[in-house]
Amino acid sequence: MNSLKAAEEIKASFSISRMDLRKIRVRFQDQIHSTLMGKPASLKSLPSFLSPATGQERGEFLAVDFGGSNLRVSLVSLLGEGRHMIRKEISRPLKDPALTYDYTTAATSGPELFNFAASLVYEVYAALPVQSLGLTFSYPMEQKNVNNAYLLRWTKEMKPRDTIGKSIYEMFTAALARQGLEKLMLKAIINDTVACFLAASYQCPHVVAGSICGTGHNTCYRERSLRTSDNLPMIVNLEAGNFSDVPVNYYDQQLDSHSDDPGQQQLEKMVSGKYLGELMRLVLLDLINRGIISAPADDCLTRPYALGSEILGWLQSGQPGLNIVPGHNSGQLLPWLSQLDYSLLRTISTAIVSRASQLMASTFLAIMDQVRYLLNPTIAVDGSVFLYMPGMISAIESFIRSESAADHPQLFMTANGSSIGAAVAAASVRNEIF
Ligand code: BGC
């Protein structure tokens, strides 16, 4: 088979017809209905016990962002009227690139993982002591209350042991106590989509949903049939990354079967930063095995997840050597390829990114169908794929425009949402619940 034909064939396997995308939109909304009625579905409707922010939240808070790749602790001042200031911030990767430590594997226990988080809190607290804390925790969890939640499972290839089913409140406050920080009040534990929603609604009253596409993917939205204790609409976490009613191709199947959680997080595995580079690596290996493009001299492609998602942005930019994502120079990758190989891979990477944008846009449209009664709907978005993948946001916007007659939702970029949102959540919790 010649290389052009191979590229066309692979490109076609990453394309989903308009009709199928419309079916995905309908099925996504059907699943929202099912899960709200307590029926089994690949989506969930996990209540956050929080309603949209008012913009008037004020005070000083420690904010912990327990993300998919990094742990970040900030001291956030909320000044009201949608304004904030980050007064101090430290961040560490969960896995040291120099490999001196790695908290992502099963060799790490729950206490070790939370001790790491608590030691970072200690560093910020020692410089600026503030008593209230909000935690953004970017994994599926079942909330029992605004400040207590139980870990349902890990995603994004994380696997610290003896943690599933345990109280995140208890694990974290025990680690804080081991640091001598027992007086800190952990006021809120929220998902990162909820943090993104809160950070955006702190500044803009029209937010109806919050979505993350970074290492992982997920969306939350405002559901009027579920109410907080103040009888306000509840922000509900859908765990949208687990949506499974999507057509998968050969590369998706390969990726899934080699992942830590086969059969889970299907949508996430097609759209998020943890997996887009891996899809590209699987395509590359296939093309090499079929003799269509040349093989590297070393084994740089054999390790799973050897390619980061920035490779797709870099391929699409058409300018090898360009630094697309700050701190990542993918210009050194794939040096053995010819210009012809590059243009073939560029076509395929465009198809992978375009599929991701259309899938996410279809789920946004389903959410718009669910909150149809709200005016000027705005979807808050955050995460490295939304922020840095060239063309991603404009592709989502143009798909949404092409599919909805009027009142298109606006996308609102919310950089730093996890920290600001954790502070807003902590501020909006009344003290008397403790
Ligand atoms: C997690 C979600 C999270 C998303 C974005 C997914 O893997 O299951 O809870 O919101 O990643 O970080």
Side-chain angles (χ1 to χ4, degrees):
M1 184 184 279
N2 73 30
S3 60
L4 228 67
K5 202 153 171 249
E8 283 310 315
E9 183 201 82
I10 296 172
K11 189 175 142 192
S13 80
F14 280 100
S15 91
I16 308 179
S17 70
R18 277 279 161 160
M19 209 199 280
D20 285 345
L21 287 162
R22 286 181 191 144
K23 285 187 193 149
I24 289 170
R25 169 179 179 173
V26 171
R27 289 186 206 132
F28 193 90
Q29 200 195 2
D30 285 350
Q31 285 213 15
I32 295 181
H33 290 156
S34 297
T35 178
L36 284 173
M37 288 189 296
K39 294 190 189 155
S42 62
L43 292 180
K44 290 197 178 298
S45 47
L46 298 169
S48 65
F49 296 89
L50 288 163
S51 51
T54 63
Q56 292 317 313
E57 292 79 4
R58 286 169 204 271
E60 309 249 286
F61 302 92
L62 282 162
V64 179
D65 171 13
F66 201 128
S69 312
N70 293 298
L71 240 160
R72 185 164 45 161
V73 180
S74 324
L75 187 101
V76 182
S77 294
L78 296 178
L79 309 168
E81 283 145 27
R83 292 168 306 133
H84 78 274
M85 218 168 81
I86 307 267
R87 295 182 51 208
K88 188 169 172 66
E89 183 166 284
I90 55 172
S91 174
R92 300 267 190 291
L94 287 166
K95 176 178 178 173
D96 178 19
L99 296 179
T100 58
Y101 66 83
D102 182 356
Y103 290 105
T104 65
T105 72
T108 298
S109 68
E112 280 162 351
L113 180 66
F114 283 92
N115 282 348
F116 177 55
S119 69
L120 298 193
V121 174
Y122 182 83
E123 274 188 51
V124 176
Y125 179 85
L128 292 163
V130 160
Q131 301 303 326
S132 296
L133 184 76
L135 167 65
T136 294
F137 190 75
S138 307
Y139 298 91
M141 55 183 172
E142 173 132 34
Q143 305 273 154
K144 295 291 176 201
N145 197 331
V146 71
N147 76 338
N148 202 3
Y150 289 78
L151 179 62
L152 292 173
R153 56 193 174 85
W154 289 110
T155 53
K156 301 178 270 215
E157 315 298 300
M158 277 281 284
K159 36 192 168 304
R161 64 177 196 277
D162 305 333
T163 43
I164 313 279
K166 296 212 169 146
S167 156
I168 296 158
Y169 178 88
E170 279 166 25
M171 289 191 283
F172 194 28
T173 52
L176 290 170
R178 288 192 286 274
Q179 287 284 340
L181 296 173
E182 49 277 278
K183 292 229 174 75
L184 276 188
M185 287 181 295
L186 178 50
K187 291 193 146 193
I189 302 179
I190 56 175
N191 182 259
D192 52 351
T193 56
V194 177
C196 169
F197 188 126
L198 290 174
S201 59
Y202 182 59
Q203 302 162 61
C204 157
H206 303 297
V207 178
V208 296
S211 186
I212 304 284
C213 196
T215 311
H217 169 62
N218 186 15
T219 305
C220 69
Y221 77 106
R222 171 193 192 280
E223 171 55 54
R224 69 173 163 179
S225 71
L226 295 180
R227 316 296 286 186
T228 63
S229 54
D230 292 331
N231 198 25
L232 293 167
M234 179 90 84
I235 305 175
V236 171
N237 169 10
L238 290 171
E239 283 299 330
N242 194 45
F243 184 61
S244 61
D245 222 340
V246 281
V248 292
N249 67 19
Y250 167 73
Y251 305 101
D252 298 314
Q253 282 164 353
Q254 268 199 314
L255 183 149
D256 183 55
S257 65
H258 298 145
S259 68
D260 282 344
D261 54 358
Q264 309 265 18
Q265 299 296 107
Q266 188 52 66
L267 177 61
E268 176 168 276
K269 287 171 181 162
M270 298 162 93
V271 306
S272 83
K274 178 79 197 177
Y275 302 103
L276 289 176
E278 180 63 2
L279 282 174
M280 197 68 223
R281 187 187 73 93
L282 294 170
V283 169
L284 258 163
L285 284 181
D286 185 34
L287 288 168
I288 291 169
N289 290 338
R290 287 156 69 184
I292 290 165
I293 63 174
S294 37
D298 57 16
D299 60 356
C300 64
L301 287 180
T302 47
R303 191 172 47 85
Y305 304 100
L307 292 183
S309 62
E310 64 274 10
I311 194 79
L312 288 104
W314 172 73
L315 280 166
Q316 285 183 90
S317 77
Q319 296 175 49
L322 191 71
N323 222 357
I324 296 292
V325 177
H328 292 75
N329 188 359
S330 299
Q332 302 313 313
L333 294 171
L334 321 179
W336 70 93
L337 294 180
S338 70
Q339 281 310 316
L340 190 68
D341 294 342
Y342 277 127
S343 67
L344 189 150
L345 293 181
R346 194 166 299 137
T347 311
I348 296 167
S349 90
T350 306
I352 296 177
V353 172
S354 158
R355 183 183 72 163
S357 68
Q358 293 176 347
L359 283 170
M360 286 191 283
S362 301
T363 69
F364 291 171
L365 286 163
I367 291 170
M368 289 307 113
D369 296 337
Q370 182 72 8
V371 296
R372 201 173 271 293
Y373 52 94
L374 293 167
L375 291 178
N376 305 321
T378 299
I379 301 177
V381 293
D382 195 1
S384 55
V385 173
F386 283 143
L387 297 177
Y388 302 123
M389 183 64 75
M392 178 62 91
I393 289 290
S394 55
I396 294 177
E397 286 175 332
S398 96
F399 185 84
I400 287 177
R401 271 198 304 276
S402 71
E403 284 292 305
S404 50
D407 215 9
H408 312 298
Q410 301 296 314
L411 300 190
F412 183 106
M413 303 285 270
T414 322
N416 228 352
S418 288
S419 305
I420 303 163
V424 172
S428 57
V429 173
R430 288 196 311 263
N431 286 329
E432 59 264 37
I433 73 161
F434 293 99

